[in-house]
Amino acid sequence: MPDVMQAIPMQPAGDGGDQEESITQPAKLLRIASMVRELLEQTRQASLDEPGRKRLADVYQRAVGELSEVLSPDLVEELGQLAPPVEGLPTEAELRVAQAQLVGWLEGLFHGIQAAMFAQQAAAQAQFQELQRRGLMAQNPAPAAGDDQSQDGRRAGQYL
């Protein structure tokens, strides 16, 4: 059963559609993001020969493909625009730029998820407080004018 988490619970900007951005497998997304970040760090520290660049380009393409499997269609489209396929045998600089773009996009996605979770938590807390307020009012309705005694003639008291 897939683990579904709403990433950003709003309509994509300028789309007007009713799609929500979502991530179906957050754990897989985090694993791929960690791998891409580590690869970027490794390519900064070492120069790559032709087979190394080819292998890194293949890993990059596979990572983008794997990410596409766990994202909603609107996020896949955005990813495709920001992480285009690496063609031919890329230079080290091209690979670094492509990986840095991907890492930056993923970090932005994570910030969006955090902001959405914070907004959802704040909305849930406000809703809970409203329900509590309404519940307390329903349990302790304000007495009608001149109705400060109970039916048996005793004065009504405040209960905790």
Side-chain angles (χ1 to χ4, degrees), residues 17-90:
D18 57 0
Q19 291 182 2
E20 282 193 356
E21 297 173 337
S22 63
I23 299 165
T24 58
Q25 297 177 30
K28 184 174 183 177
L29 176 77
L30 291 171
R31 286 192 307 272
I32 294 168
S34 295
M35 179 202 63
V36 171
R37 172 175 273 154
E38 183 63 28
L39 283 173
L40 179 59
E41 290 300 317
Q42 293 298 319
T43 58
R44 286 181 182 164
Q45 297 174 7
S47 62
L48 298 171
D49 59 3
E50 187 174 319
R53 292 193 316 268
K54 176 71 173 135
R55 175 74 177 133
L56 191 56
D58 290 343
V59 170
Y60 170 83
Q61 289 300 117
R62 183 156 184 221
V64 170
E66 293 283 329
L67 286 171
S68 297
E69 293 176 6
V70 301
L71 301 172
S72 61
D74 49 340
L75 288 174
V76 170
E77 182 180 337
E78 187 178 312
L79 176 62
Q81 293 171 355
L82 294 172
V86 177
E87 310 245 336
L89 183 62

Side-chain angles (χ1 to χ4, degrees), residues 10 20 39 81-82 88-89 97 114 118 126 133 149 154:
M10 65 178 84
E20 282 193 356
L39 283 173
Q81 293 171 355
L82 294 172
L89 183 62
V97 168
Q114 289 173 336
F118 179 75
R133 185 182 68 76
Q149 291 186 347
R154 292 184 290 173

